[in-house]
Amino acid sequence: MRAVIVAIGIAFLVSLFGTPLAIKVFTRLKAGQPIRAEGPVMHQGKKGTPTMGGVVFIVATVIAYVAGHLALTTLPDQQIAQVEPTITALVLLGLMVFSGAVGFIDDFLKVRKRNSAGLNKRGKLFGQILVGAVFGVIALYFPSSMVDAEGDSTNVETVGSTMLSFIRDIDFLDVGKVASVIIFIFVVMAATNGVNLTDGLDGLATGASVMVLAAYALIAFWQYRHWCADPAYTRDYCYSVRDPLEIALIAGAAAGACVGFLWWNTSPARIFMGDTGALGLGGLIAGMAMSTRTLLLLPIIGGLFVIITMSVVIQIISFKTTGKRVFRMSPLQHHFELAGWSEVNIVVRFWIIAGIGVAIALGLFYSEYLAAMS
């Protein structure tokens, strides 16, 4: 627990004090956010606000991960040696960094061209597929082992699973490695685009991501406390996951980094996360769902992202089939803007929706354990 708390604290401080520095650097580089002409009129006042702020909390998460591992070396009587970096960390941090890199290219092109076009759809799609495929293969095809206190190898398994999962792996839904990688690519695309579409108002995506990542930190730490690979845990009911403490540490660090960034990103935002941050967070959240074996629980944990994404899908289908729009504008948050709601009002109410989704998901997760133990 100490390592997770250290990681959260370090990530928060690095992000909180690093963001003002990023604001100065990006302002000096004239890396201002272009605003779509067809967007809400009130957004034109945000033109020129520094973007690519996601770089800050991605870097803060990596630094905090290292700090968390240094804290692990000070813990006495470690029964399971998780001091060395693991494949799980490689997959999760790799998803965050390289998904963020795809977003960074998009942001860079927007700034350079001085318009909101950025990376074309095919280029962004290719990047998302490539990142999902590479880390999906690593997660499914490269089992890693851990050495316990006696020097014996234990918990030899992959980061991901060939089985679909809800609260845990569903035994009768084994789809094989190839299909699992394909499914994971889809999850990466869905999560990255979901966070990206939500990132339309000051602090909206950042605050929602804090809740989702905090939920995964709680889930992963609970799995660590009831871990099948822990020789000190003697009960029959346990979780077969790979490196749950690593997952909790990274999820907590990312949540802490987002809180520090939110200090500067909330309305009126002094910096935007850009596609760098949105795609980075989406990639990490997809990895969290895979590594905690809660893939089908993700749509509930990230309920707000699903709702906003579906508003875009509904709008497109309706316009192409009937020529009519269901919403004044999509994504959904812009519909309410045009309906006269204030930005802060929308953000707070959408945060409440995000919190409800997280609460329901955590309730389902813990109720399964309580039911099994009763």
Side-chain angles (χ1 to χ4, degrees), residues 324-356:
K324 297 180 180 180
R325 292 180 172 86
V326 177
F327 307 104
R328 290 181 171 90
M329 181 179 289
S330 65
L332 188 61
Q333 59 268 31
H334 299 320
H335 167 82
F336 289 104
E337 274 191 294
L338 295 181
W341 290 25
S342 71
E343 182 172 11
V344 173
N345 229 341
I346 298 168
V347 170
V348 171
R349 289 176 179 176
F350 276 37
W351 280 352
I352 292 172
I353 294 172
I356 290 171

Side-chain angles (χ1 to χ4, degrees), residues 144-301:
S144 74
S145 60
M146 181 173 291
V147 179
D148 60 22
E150 286 72 36
D152 298 322
S153 181
T154 183
N155 195 35
V156 182
E157 60 178 280
T158 55
V159 177
S161 172
T162 59
M163 289 174 275
L164 294 180
S165 56
F166 182 56
I167 304 300
R168 58 178 67 243
D169 284 337
I170 304 172
D171 294 336
F172 60 87
L173 291 180
D174 192 330
V175 297
K177 290 185 177 180
V178 174
S180 294
V181 172
I182 294 173
I183 290 171
F184 182 62
I185 292 172
F186 172 78
V187 173
V188 169
M189 292 170 59
T192 52
N193 286 313
V195 178
N196 198 21
L197 290 171
T198 304
D199 183 33
L201 300 180
D202 296 353
L204 178 56
T206 309
S209 296
V210 169
M211 297 181 209
V212 172
L213 291 167
Y216 276 119
L218 291 173
I219 287 172
F221 193 77
W222 182 265
Q223 290 175 332
Y224 174 66
R225 298 293 294 176
H226 305 82
W227 192 20
C228 296
D230 186 353
Y233 187 74
T234 57
R235 295 184 180 181
D236 294 333
Y237 194 87
C238 59
Y239 296 92
S240 296
V241 295
R242 176 68 206 165
D243 306 319
L245 186 57
E246 288 277 85
I247 302 169
L249 193 152
I250 294 171
C258 285
V259 172
F261 181 77
L262 185 60
W263 182 273
W264 306 100
N265 180 236
T266 192
S267 183
R270 292 186 57 189
I271 189 171
F272 299 139
M273 70 166 68
D275 281 21
T276 305
L279 269 61
L281 288 174
L284 177 60
I285 289 170
M288 289 289 163
M290 173 182 64
S291 58
T292 57
R293 312 293 169 86
T294 56
L295 212 57
L296 298 178
L297 192 64
L298 176 57
I300 302 175
I301 294 180

